């Protein structure tokens, strides 16, 4: 009996002693933490994707509380979370439109190959071997470094060997963009569906020879656009999303099918037809006008 | 002189021939869990060295000054777990205050040292081998150094494994386990090192 009591007493005392020591230590080694940090951390996406540029969600929360990062720093969490964080921080969030990642290449199997690459399945490694297996110096290598980087399962390599983004799942964290050695992945407004699927800055024949789907900088789209939203800059068509209204006229005149959604031959034909008719109508109108004036 | 020889034997035994990971298979959880990067592996290794050294010292005192006089030797496991848990808590606080980078890098594995069998193992083995205080501390520290060696070696191998061409099914832990097994085989080569006995 005495044995039991002494055992309980000794272990109890030991536990109490260690507890007291820990209590003292916790005061000495106390880390002053802003309570807002916990609250902000709770609102972040929690994927530790690193898309914000800080080491994990805790780092991002600390940066937001310190005022180094904007309240919208966490793209994956979305505008609702940004608003909630803004409330914690006592600011109002400038909530922007939802954006998604987009791969600016549609080459893949349509792009000319210089050699068959059989090395490590990593895009960065592939670019180190004689500047990559593709003739095109801008094209997607399709080895899936972005797929690996995506924490949300939103990237995959499409059937034509080019990375594609699942826009439903994409949170615009842009971890894929950081992983892409060709810098092909850009952030675009999710609502704007018209996008140029090429970054090849070569012009005309040079671009044509490296890829069947390359933008050749011909400028047809630029002339077609009624809103002055698409321009050929550095040999590549690029869209100003402040002006684009999703009318898709540029897709219908692109001779290289480099603008998504790619218009089918029928659609293109139909558009040509309409244009022809419009031109004729305009001609007739012009011809009719002088006679009207005479009367 | 004899004292010194014993210490050298303990040291070589703990680091090479009786390595905690490779021949006693203690502490395998953090060994597999934190061995992806050399940086964090080194941090974890030093944390374990520190905890094992300190735990050896304190458990020796607790055992010989409290448990033995009071005839409570049968409570040693409970008492040791208490000591180790408190120690790890203390180290966690200390790291969070002074080395926050290491604290975040170790993450969940730091509290896991609490239930690390290598730490409890070293405390129990000290008693089993009836080491004196100095021998206990040396065994604890060198046992930790053995763990450090093992985890840094495995982390180096795993960093290189990224570039290796192995079947996809082996990706991640399987290939790491295979590597660890091969390393254990290699460390068996040291078992002939009984020169000081």
């Amino acid at each position: 009996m005495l044995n039991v009591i002494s055992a309980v007493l000794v272990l109890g005392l030991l536990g109490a002693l260690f507890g007291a020591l820990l209590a003292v230590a916790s005061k000495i080694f106390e880390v002053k933490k802003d309570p807002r940090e916990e609250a902000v951390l709770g609102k972040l996406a929690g994927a530790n994707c690193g898309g914000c540029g800080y080491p994990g969600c805790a780092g991002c929360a600390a940066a937001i509380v310190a005022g180094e990062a904007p309240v919208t720093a966490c793209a994956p969490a979305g505008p609702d979370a940004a608003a909630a964080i803004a409330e914690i921080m006592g600011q109002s969030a400038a909530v922007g439109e939802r954006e998604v990642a987009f791969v600016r290449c549609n080459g893949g199997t349509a792009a000319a190959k210089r050699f068959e690459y059989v090395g490590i399945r990593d895009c960065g490694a592939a670019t180190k071997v004689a500047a990559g297996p593709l003739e095109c110096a801008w094209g997607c290598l399709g080895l899936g470094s972005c797929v690996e980087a995506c924490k949300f399962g939103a990237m995959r390599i499409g059937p034509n060997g080019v990375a594609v983004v699942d826009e439903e799942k994409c949170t615009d964290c842009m971890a894929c963009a950081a992983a892409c050695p060709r810098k092909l992945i850009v952030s675009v407004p999710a609502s704007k569906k018209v996008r140029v699927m090429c970054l090849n800055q070569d012009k005309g024949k040079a671009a044509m020879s490296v890829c069947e789907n390359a933008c050749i900088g011909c400028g047809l789209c630029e002339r077609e656009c009624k809103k002055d939203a698409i321009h050929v800059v550095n040999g590549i068509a690029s869209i100003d999303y402040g002006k684009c209204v999703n009318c898709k006229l540029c897709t219908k005149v692109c001779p290289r099918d480099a603008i998504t959604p790619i218009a089918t031959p029928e659609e293109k034909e139909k558009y040509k037809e309409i244009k022809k008719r419009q031109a004729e109508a305009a001609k007739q109108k012009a011809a009719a006008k002088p006679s009207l004036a005479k009367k | 002189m004899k004292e010194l020889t014993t210490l050298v034997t303990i040291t070589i035994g703990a680091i090479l021939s009786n390595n905690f990971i490779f021949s006693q298979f203690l502490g395998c959880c953090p060994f597999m869990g934190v061995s992806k990067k050399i940086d964090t592996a080194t941090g974890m290794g030093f944390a374990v060295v520190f905890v094992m050294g300190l735990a050896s010292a304190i458990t020796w005192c607790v055992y010989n000054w409290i448990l033995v006089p009071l005839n409570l030797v049968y409570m040693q496991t409970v008492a040791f777990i208490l000591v180790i848990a408190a120690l790890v808590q203390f180290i966690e606080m200390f790291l969070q205050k002074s080395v926050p980078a290491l604290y975040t890098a170790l993450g969940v594995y730091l509290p896991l040292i609490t239930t690390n069998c290598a730490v409890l193992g070293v405390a129990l083995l000290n008693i089993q081998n009836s080491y004196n205080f100095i021998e206990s501390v040396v065994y604890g520290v060198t046992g930790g150094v053995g763990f450090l060696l093992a985890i840094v070696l495995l982390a180096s191998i795993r960093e290189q494994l990224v570039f290796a061409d192995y079947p996809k099914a082996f990706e991640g832990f399987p290939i790491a386990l295979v590597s660890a097994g091969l390393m254990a085989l290699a460390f068996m080569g040291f078992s002939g090192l009984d020169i000081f006995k």
Side-chain angles (χ1 to χ4, degrees):
Chain A
M1 190 58 202
L2 196 70
N3 229 340
V4 175
I5 293 171
S6 72
V8 170
L9 270 182
V10 167
L11 282 178
L13 275 178
L14 263 183
L17 179 70
F18 286 130
L21 280 178
L22 280 181
V24 173
S26 75
K27 274 277 169 276
I28 297 172
F29 293 110
E30 192 183 7
V31 177
K32 288 248 168 1
K33 242 189 173 177
D34 199 319
R36 290 180 300 176
E37 226 166 271
E38 279 293 308
V40 169
L41 186 61
K43 298 291 175 202
L44 300 179
N48 284 319
C49 66
C52 52
Y54 294 95
C57 294
C60 183
I64 290 176
V65 171
E68 290 162 17
V71 290
T72 51
C74 184
D80 290 347
I85 293 168
E87 201 174 302
I88 295 167
M89 296 296 298
Q91 320 170 352
S92 60
V95 177
E97 206 187 336
R98 188 175 107 86
E99 298 211 339
V100 288
F102 177 70
V103 183
R104 286 197 65 173
C105 179
N106 194 27
T109 47
K113 280 210 169 118
R114 287 195 291 168
F115 57 88
E116 201 58 47
Y117 174 76
V118 290
I120 303 160
R121 310 306 287 168
D122 176 85
C123 300
T127 53
K128 298 287 184 292
V129 181
L134 296 177
E135 286 282 5
C136 178
W138 289 270
C140 173
L141 301 158
L143 295 173
S145 288
C146 50
V147 179
E148 205 133 298
C150 184
K151 292 272 168 70
F152 303 96
M155 301 273 331
R156 67 193 161 82
I157 300 298
N160 61 345
V162 172
V164 281
V165 178
D166 182 341
E167 291 184 14
E168 290 294 307
K169 290 185 189 162
C170 180
T171 57
D172 198 40
C173 74
M174 299 315 276
C176 50
C180 180
R182 293 261 154 119
K183 303 279 163 259
L184 275 173
I185 305 176
V186 292
S187 186
V188 293
S191 62
K192 300 291 164 79
K193 297 297 178 199
V194 183
R195 292 158 198 168
V196 181
M197 293 189 292
C198 186
L199 265 187
N200 188 317
Q201 298 181 0
D202 289 338
K203 276 194 178 166
K205 199 147 187 267
M208 224 179 268
S209 63
V210 298
C211 181
E212 286 170 29
N213 293 341
C215 168
I216 53 175
C218 67
L220 277 180
C221 48
E222 190 174 332
R223 263 171 278 155
E224 201 59 37
C225 187
K226 304 280 187 282
K227 298 285 175 187
D228 190 36
I230 188 163
H231 293 279
V232 175
V233 185
N234 291 333
I236 187 79
S238 46
I239 296 174
D240 177 354
Y241 285 110
K243 293 175 179 169
C244 178
V245 292
N246 271 339
C247 73
K248 304 188 185 67
L249 287 186
C250 48
T251 68
K252 291 182 177 126
V253 295
C254 181
R256 307 286 299 167
D257 288 344
I259 310 175
T260 178
I262 297 169
T264 59
E266 295 86 64
E267 278 177 335
K268 286 189 174 178
E269 214 41 58
K270 209 168 147 196
Y271 183 61
K272 250 185 209 167
E273 224 30 41
I274 294 171
K275 266 182 67 175
K276 219 186 208 171
R277 237 179 289 147
Q278 279 176 343
E280 266 167 31
K283 223 187 244 172
Q284 275 174 9
K285 226 180 199 175
K289 255 186 185 164
S291 61
L292 273 173
K294 260 180 203 171
K295 268 184 188 174
Chain B
M1 188 59 207
K2 190 167 170 289
E3 186 69 357
L4 196 68
T5 326
T6 326
L7 291 185
V8 172
T9 315
I10 290 174
T11 305
I12 292 185
I15 297 179
L16 296 175
S17 52
N18 273 322
N19 188 295
F20 268 84
I21 302 265
F22 290 134
S23 65
Q24 311 200 42
F25 307 110
L26 293 171
C28 286
C29 164
F31 176 64
M32 297 311 295
V34 204
S35 58
K36 267 193 194 135
K37 274 197 202 139
I38 294 179
D39 291 355
T40 42
T42 317
M44 184 74 188
F46 278 113
V48 170
V49 171
F50 186 62
V51 176
M52 279 174 80
L54 215 56
S56 298
I58 297 179
T59 52
W60 191 90
C61 296
V62 168
Y63 182 83
N64 284 292
W65 295 344
I66 300 178
L67 297 184
V68 172
L70 292 167
N71 288 325
L72 287 173
V73 177
Y74 62 94
M75 292 301 272
Q76 57 176 352
T77 313
V78 181
F80 291 172
I81 289 176
L82 190 67
V83 171
I84 293 164
L87 204 56
V88 171
Q89 272 295 312
F90 176 77
I91 287 164
E92 197 173 347
M93 285 177 208
F94 177 76
L95 279 185
Q96 196 176 7
K97 175 84 176 179
S98 49
V99 204
L102 184 60
Y103 174 77
T104 33
L106 290 178
V108 70
Y109 292 99
L110 190 59
L112 271 182
I113 301 181
T114 319
T115 50
N116 186 337
C117 34
V119 182
L120 185 60
V122 81
L124 293 173
L125 283 172
N126 282 335
I127 309 302
Q128 214 177 67
N129 297 346
S130 47
Y131 285 151
N132 63 29
F133 183 75
I134 294 173
E135 286 167 349
S136 293
V137 174
V138 168
Y139 189 56
V141 171
T142 52
V145 171
F147 178 89
L148 173 72
L149 176 74
I151 197 168
V152 170
L153 283 180
L154 184 70
S156 326
I157 291 177
R158 285 182 76 175
E159 279 194 359
Q160 295 298 312
L161 271 178
V162 174
F163 303 110
D165 195 16
Y166 47 79
K168 190 147 178 62
F170 278 88
E171 213 166 87
F173 277 114
I175 193 75
L177 284 167
V178 171
S179 320
L182 290 175
M183 285 169 76
L185 277 181
F187 265 70
M188 277 182 76
F190 289 115
S191 58
L193 261 182
D194 285 340
I195 40 172
F196 295 104
K197 269 185 183 168

